[in-house]
Amino acid sequence: MVTTAPTGAVTPAFTSVAEANAESFARLDDADPWVVDVQPAREVLPGYRDNLVLTSGAPMSWHDYTGGQREALIGGALFEGLADNREEAIARFATGEIEVGACHDYSAVGSLAGIYTASMPVFVVENRTHGNRGFCNFYEGKEPRRLNYGCYDEGVRDRLLHVNRVLAPVVGEAIRRRGGIALKPLIARALRMGDEVHSRNAAASILFNREILPAVLDMVDERVDGVRETMLHLAENDYFFLRLSMAAAKASADAMVVPGSTLVSAMAFSCRGFAIKLAGTGDTWFEGPPPIHEGKLFAGHTENEITWMGGESPITETIGLGGFAQACALSLQEYQGGSPEVMIERNREMYAITYGESTTYRIPLFGFRGTPTAIDARKVLETGVLPVMDVGLAGRDGGQIGAGVIRAPRECFLDALAEHARIFGRR
């Protein structure tokens, strides 16, 4: 169990867990996420500092980070100019001159290692129902060697600079000219077109491009720099929308917080293991071992290369997308293995551990039944069914080496409910 700085005292607001869960689910289901801007992290993340590098998972000290996640943190420091070389970066992390932070503590989420530095552009997503915001950084591109997969070299640096200087400014300007873009109806339509908006985002990326097209055409007429290049980048990168679905999920899930609730409000992992938060127990993370996995590796790679270096894209499953909408995206079998029958059964299984069904996100194959939404920790233990998530698989030498499915470890839920009982009693 890891406790971060609390956002406020946790006090019972409801006379029963049932009432707390009903309110928590309603707040999630009513969320209305809009992407409203793209800005550097230092400009929009609450409390951000120029010497801060964010990464995925429950918060840890610098000395606890290992492998690819440690290398990604070092790469982030070098990219931001916080150190001149690897050795200097390590020394400055060790003394605290360069700070390490957890993305979730700043209302943000990160894919794989999830590195944020002060100059990196982030999507700003506003939950217009509840007034809170969620953030996610920009997609680096489809090159397997990426900072979020533990790699940093001249090629990675050049691509990150290109995002900062060309791609993000154009996308941000287009979003602002459109007055923001509602993400919830866009995601709902993408599910009907074969996405689950975690490991498959092809339809959602196209729909987003269509939303910004009127602004883009005006920008072309005005000869705004980088527009053609940016749109070509978006057109060839099906995963571009993942960062928007993650930010939308974060803005939605953060609104779930209701003292006493047993619903899961966050799931993430680091190089050390997996962790969850409950909507009813404040800022406490409940940790377990690395997730259980199965997957499909790219040619030339083997099972013993798989390593864990963080990941917060399971925020999509937290709100009923990703693996909880897997039956929408049967084409994923080609990418991450499995079969249609297994994917359908796996998706149906999730209804046994969730509080309810989304009133917006629906699965055509199930007669447009709402996706199973809001994991109830009690039901996980009662049924023995563990939450499933669609993920990319990282290699020990950096880079993406495959894709697959993971399941959260049972230990997280045991610890979470033990702490819930300590605070609220057994009700």
Side-chain angles (χ1 to χ4, degrees), residues 38 79 119-121 137-141 157-170 233:
V38 176
F79 174 74
S119 68
M120 287 183 180
N137 51 5
F138 228 75
Y139 180 55
E140 297 171 54
R157 177 181 178 275
D158 289 346
R159 286 190 293 276
L160 290 171
L161 287 173
H162 191 62
V163 168
N164 282 18
R165 296 169 179 173
V166 180
L167 306 181
V170 169
H233 174 84

Side-chain angles (χ1 to χ4, degrees), residues 42 71 147 186 250 262 345 376:
R42 64 161 64 91
E71 293 302 314
L147 182 61
L186 192 158
K250 176 61 173 169
T262 58
E345 179 55 33
D376 187 338

Side-chain angles (χ1 to χ4, degrees), residues 1 8 26 66 109 113 122 146 150 170-171 193 203 206 212 216 229 239 243 246 251 253 261 312 314 384 416 427:
M1 183 174 71
T66 61
V109 279
V122 300
R146 304 194 292 273
V170 169
V171 174
M193 296 170 66
I206 292 169
I212 64 172
V216 167
E229 187 177 355
Y239 267 89
R243 307 306 178 86
M246 289 172 61
S261 173
E312 294 174 338
R427 290 180 289 156

Side-chain angles (χ1 to χ4, degrees), residues 282-298:
D283 292 313
T284 302
W285 285 98
F286 303 97
E287 297 185 86
I292 304 157
H293 74 275
E294 57 183 88
K296 181 178 179 180
L297 300 177
F298 300 155

Side-chain angles (χ1 to χ4, degrees), residues 12 24 46 113-114 131 147 155 172 181 186 216 218 230 269 275 279 282 297 311 330 334-335 355 379 388 395 420:
S24 185
L147 182 61
I181 295 167
L186 192 158
V216 167
D218 289 343
T230 299
F269 55 96
L297 300 177
L330 297 183
E334 183 179 13
Y335 175 59
Y355 178 87
K379 291 185 177 182
V388 67
H420 185 281

